[in-house]
């Protein structure tokens, strides 16, 4: 059968089905469907879902059949509902490293300036970190930001932030559920080496029109949904925009450039859904976001995401159902400088149409998943033009690139017995580099350097092909209803990599596909974990360890020029990385006080070795990656002062990220040159921050015309000036050596003065009002 929302008929993924008399159960899949084998006779079955009222069904079974269940959202967050559903899913789910998030609970967490942020909640999970206060995205188990596959109704999103990472790109009111995989990734997902964040949007309400909205200090949002044809066709629209300029301009400062700065973003989601019958549904999703940022009237940075997807769900029989998705995504940025004599416009864009067919087939004890997927990439790697007729900027055009990534997958979930569940699968991926284009050619046997280039070669059609077999394996053994051990292994090929020489991803970073010079990443990960709940599911805990190796990762040479580089292969190297760690989490799920303690110890190390001295990094020795953060601690809590007022908070501590320091200054031919330490030899100071919030909910009457919630948040309560980066100034005298062309100067001891850059160095209060009617 299927478990759905009683109001809008949305499927409820991860709902629990528990057979009371037999003490066995299952959870629903992504479409809210389930299948469970029971002997004939009388049974009592409990259906539950977080923040929904439980439903008991007395069922007398004579033959095969279906039970469709609609659950109503609970007017009060009952502890019993939370305990039964969440702890049961955590212990029994077959996939190791899998988590599911409820947007209703995320909204009660402390926020920065009142904005609910799904990405920031991901950053608080075990095994997940970020490199800084205003860093976009997230790093999973020591991986880079580009190694995370973010799907929005089945279409990838390449930039998940607004305002250089201060805000997430997704309006929480438009989201139905979020599933996050950091290990044991199922075979239907591919193309990213570290994790998958699968976001599904809400259908519009099929029964009546509803309006949700929120007014905050920096942004406001509005969501409208309702039926076009009752019980058949619904539409939903969610929009969010900022008016943050007034806050920037109101800051009291002598820094004139801040007065002339501009920060702006918006995002919007629209979804149209139509049910042909109980077996078929068609959905169309559109998503768009836009950012603009400028400092002091200087260069203006703008970047955008665009997504459009059409999905058809069809139930062929009680055993077989499928989903067919076609869509297109786009990402691009533009940097504009309007200086009369040196102004320029820099543009970059990437579009990627995609198609997916995914089937689920229940065959006896086998739960088979299979399908095919293909994505075409069209890169415009860079285009520089003068912004005016008087500008002295010379135009630069980088040749366009085209690629096709395809995959076919097969997975099987097998209930070996009541205690053991095995999930095995394989994905076969193929990546084609497609012409027309010009390929640089170099002297055979010599390093890839511009002075070794001997010409270019014209290519057409498919000129380079990579392929790989990606096995996936996951095993769960249940010791009892409250304890289980899980293990998993997965191999994933990543054919696109983000090219950057900064620790935090910026809008002007570029995506580089695999080609003649760059091989795809190959990631192999093994993980094992023990899960346990205590005291009738009052507490739940797990400990999970992992080891991951990735071949062919990209890193830049010292002094690399990455933007508008027609010889990018001469400034990048490929090496290997290894990551390992252990994650621990314990959660109190019930009572007036609930909370979670998450701690991760992990390492992320890289090796770029070559017999040629200028073709390695750190003399070929292993060094810390930009994302090597050994200690990462997150403590969050919620205390219900009464039925309407709650006090929530979050404390974060993590080791400072690695950085390279300058050791001395040289002057060669009157050109100042800094001599740096080994790559990432030092660390910036550690990071810690406390956030709190008070949430006042509206009345809990089931029937009311409108309701509203107030959220008063305090970000960085004790005003710590956490370092985002460290920069240095030379304050001492120098000593000259040599003469003529070989003269150089060396600074004396103690002449470098280190300065700490903090993005937010004070407490930030915010007030947010959310309404629903």
């Amino acid at each position: 059968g299927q478990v759905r929302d009683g109001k809008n008929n949305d499927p409820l993924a991860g709902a629990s089905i528990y057979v009371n008399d037999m003490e066995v159960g299952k959870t629903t899949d992504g479409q809210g469907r389930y299948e469970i084998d029971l002997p004939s006779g009388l049974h009592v079955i409990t259906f539950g879902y977080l923040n929904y009222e439980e439903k008991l069904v007395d069922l007398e079974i004579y033959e095969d059949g279906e039970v469709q269940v609609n659950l109503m959202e609970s007017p009060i967050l009952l502890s019993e509902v939370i305990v039964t559903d969440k702890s049961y899913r955590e212990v029994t789910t077959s996939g190791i490293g899998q988590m599911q998030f409820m947007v209703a609970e995320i909204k009660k967490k402390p926020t920065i300036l009142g904005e609910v942020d799904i990405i920031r909640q991901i950053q608080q999970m075990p095994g997940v970190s970020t490199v800084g206060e205003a860093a976009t995205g997230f790093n999973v188990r020591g991986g880079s930001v580009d190694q995370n596959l973010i799907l929005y109704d089945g279409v990838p999103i390449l930039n998940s932030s607004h305002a250089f990472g201060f805000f997430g790109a997704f309006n929480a009111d438009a989201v139905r559920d979020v599933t996050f995989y950091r290990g044991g990734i199922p075979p239907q997902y591919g193309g990213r080496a570290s994790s998958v964040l699968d976001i599904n949007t809400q259908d519009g309400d099929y029964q009546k029109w509803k309006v949700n909205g929120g007014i905050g200090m920096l942004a406001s949002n509005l969501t409208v949904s309702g039926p076009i044809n009752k019980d058949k066709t619904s539409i939903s629209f969610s929009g969010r925009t900022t008016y943050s300029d007034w806050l920037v301009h109101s800051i009291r400062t002598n820094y004139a450039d801040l007065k002339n700065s501009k920060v702006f973003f918006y995002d919007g989601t629209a979804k149209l859904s139509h049910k042909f019958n109980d077996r078929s549904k068609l959905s169309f999703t559109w998503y768009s976001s836009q950012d603009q940022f400028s400092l002091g009237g200087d260069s203006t940075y703008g970047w955008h995401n665009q997504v459009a997807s059409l999905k058809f769900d069809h139930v062929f029989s009680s055993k077989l159902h499928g989903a067919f998705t076609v869509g297109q995504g786009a990402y691009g940025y533009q940097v504009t400088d309007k200086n009369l004599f040196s102004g320029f416009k820099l543009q970059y864009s990437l579009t990627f149409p995609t198609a997916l067919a995914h089937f689920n087939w229940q065959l006896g004890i086998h739960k088979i998943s299979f399908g095919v997927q293909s994505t075409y990439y069209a890169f415009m790697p860079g285009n520089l033009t003068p912004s005016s007729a008087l500008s002295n900027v010379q135009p630069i055009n980088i040749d366009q690139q085209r690629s096709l990534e395809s995959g076919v997958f097969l997975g099987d979930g097998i209930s070996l017995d009541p205690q053991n569940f095995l999930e095995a699968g394989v994905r076969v991926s193929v990546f084609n580099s497609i012409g027309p284009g010009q390929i640089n050619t170099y002297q055979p046997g010599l390093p890839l350097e511009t002075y070794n280039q001997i010409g270019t070669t014209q290519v057409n059609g498919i000129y380079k092909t990579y392929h790989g077999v990606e096995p996936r394996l996951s095993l769960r053994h249940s010791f009892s209803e409250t304890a289980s051990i899980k293990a998993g292994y997965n191999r994933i090929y990543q054919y696109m990599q983000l090219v950057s020489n900064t620790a935090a991803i910026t809008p002007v970073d570029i995506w580089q596909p695999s080609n003649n010079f760059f091989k795809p990443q190959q990631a192999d990960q093994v993980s094992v974990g023990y899960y346990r709940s205590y005291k009738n599911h009052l507490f739940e805990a797990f400990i999970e360890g992992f080891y991951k190796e990735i071949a062919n990762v990209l890193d830049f040479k010292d002094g690399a020029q990455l933007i508008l580089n027609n010889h990018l292969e001469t400034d990048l190297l490929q090496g290997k990385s290894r990551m390992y760690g252990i994650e621990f989490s314990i959660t109190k799920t019930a009572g007036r006080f609930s909370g979670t303690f998450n701690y991760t110890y992990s390492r992320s190390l890289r090796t770029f070795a070559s017999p040629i001295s200028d073709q390695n990094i750190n003399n070929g020795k292993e060094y810390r990656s930009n994302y090597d953060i050994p200690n990462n601690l997150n403590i969050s809590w919620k205390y219900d002062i009464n039925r309407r007022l709650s006090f929530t908070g979050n404390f974060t501590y993590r080791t400072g990220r690695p950085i390279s320091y300058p050791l001395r200054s040289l002057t060669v031919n009157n050109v100042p040159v800094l001599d740096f330490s080994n790559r990432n030899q030092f660390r910036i100071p550690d990071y810690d921050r406390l956030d709190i919030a008070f949430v006042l909910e509206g009345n809990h009457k089931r029937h009311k015309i409108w309701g509203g919630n107030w959220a008063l948040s305090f970000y960085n309560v004790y005003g710590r000036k956490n370092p985002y980066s460290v920069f240095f100034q030379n304050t001492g005298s120098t000593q000259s050596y040599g003469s003529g062309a070989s003269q150089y100067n060396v600074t004396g001891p103690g002449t470098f003065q280190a300065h700490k850059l903090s993005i937010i160095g004070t407490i930030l209060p915010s007030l947010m009002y959310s309404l629903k009617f």
Side-chain angles (χ1 to χ4, degrees), residues 752-765:
F752 283 108
Q753 178 67 47
H755 298 269
K756 181 175 65 175
L757 172 65
S758 298
I759 303 297
I760 299 179
T762 184
I763 182 173
L764 286 181

Side-chain angles (χ1 to χ4, degrees), residues 483-753:
S484 67
I485 187 171
K486 308 172 194 174
Y489 164 76
N490 56 250
R491 167 175 289 181
I492 299 178
Y493 286 91
Q494 178 167 333
Y495 297 98
M496 288 174 45
Q497 303 187 52
L498 195 63
V499 177
S500 174
N501 55 4
T502 61
I505 304 305
T506 69
V508 293
D509 295 322
I510 59 176
W511 287 87
Q512 174 61 49
S514 298
N515 56 25
N516 284 13
F517 302 107
F518 302 118
K519 297 178 181 179
Q521 294 183 11
Q522 176 186 307
D524 292 273
Q525 178 176 248
V526 177
S527 51
V528 61
Y530 177 72
Y531 293 74
R532 180 69 188 269
S533 60
Y534 301 89
K535 294 188 176 181
N536 196 27
H537 306 307
L538 180 62
F539 294 92
E540 58 180 37
F542 70 83
I543 185 169
E544 207 172 291
F546 69 91
Y547 181 83
K548 179 167 57 175
E549 287 188 350
I550 305 180
N552 303 321
V553 295
L554 290 177
D555 214 336
F556 60 94
K557 294 180 181 179
D558 294 334
Q561 170 63 41
L562 303 181
I563 305 300
L564 297 174
N565 188 344
N566 252 324
H567 306 82
L568 198 56
E569 61 274 5
T570 64
D571 275 342
L572 294 174
L573 299 173
Q574 287 200 287
K576 62 181 180 179
S577 64
R578 66 185 185 100
M579 293 82 93
Y580 60 88
I582 191 166
E583 303 158 358
F584 174 75
S585 176
I586 184 168
T587 302
K588 184 177 183 290
T589 60
R592 295 181 66 180
F593 180 85
S594 59
T596 299
F597 176 97
N598 293 326
Y599 171 74
T600 301
Y601 175 82
S602 67
R603 300 304 307 273
S604 176
L605 308 169
R606 291 188 166 190
T607 304
F608 285 70
S610 170
I612 305 173
S613 60
D614 62 350
Q615 299 296 305
N616 59 47
I617 298 176
N618 199 36
N619 298 318
K621 298 179 181 178
E622 190 173 62
Y623 64 95
R624 304 160 177 164
S625 78
N626 289 332
Y627 327 107
D628 180 57
I629 301 177
N631 298 287
N632 194 355
L633 171 69
N634 283 283
I635 304 172
S636 61
W637 69 86
K638 175 175 177 287
Y639 177 71
D640 294 323
I641 299 173
N642 55 44
R643 291 176 61 180
R644 294 180 57 194
L645 180 63
S646 60
F647 169 59
T648 70
N650 181 79
F651 174 77
T652 298
Y653 166 82
R654 58 178 176 265
T655 307
R657 65 173 177 83
I659 193 174
S660 303
Y661 283 177
L663 302 180
R664 62 177 183 164
S665 174
L666 307 175
T667 302
V668 180
N669 294 332
N670 295 319
V671 178
V673 179
L674 288 178
D675 182 21
F676 276 83
S677 66
N678 289 333
R679 181 74 61 92
N680 290 341
Q681 181 178 350
F682 300 95
R683 291 186 182 275
I684 65 174
D686 293 352
Y687 181 102
D688 61 86
R689 190 188 78 240
L690 173 67
D691 311 323
I692 61 173
F694 295 90
V695 180
L696 178 63
E697 300 182 35
N699 68 73
H700 290 141
K701 295 178 180 179
R702 182 185 295 274
H703 302 291
K704 53 188 175 183
I705 298 176
W706 66 278
N709 296 336
W710 290 92
L712 176 64
S713 301
F714 298 90
Y715 183 87
N716 195 16
V717 170
Y718 47 84
R720 175 172 167 79
K721 292 178 172 59
N722 282 299
Y724 176 73
S725 184
V726 175
F727 63 94
F728 298 83
Q729 288 182 325
N730 188 346
T731 60
S733 60
T734 61
Q735 180 68 43
S736 297
Y737 294 88
S739 61
S742 24
Q743 177 181 344
Y744 63 94
N745 299 331
V746 179
T747 61
T751 57
F752 283 108
Q753 178 67 47

Side-chain angles (χ1 to χ4, degrees), residues 41 87 101 119 135 150 242 265 360 430 488 567 609 700 754 764 768:
S87 62
F101 301 90
I119 300 300
I150 302 175
T242 184
F265 69 82
N360 288 291
V430 179
H567 306 82
H700 290 141
L764 286 181
M768 184 78 176

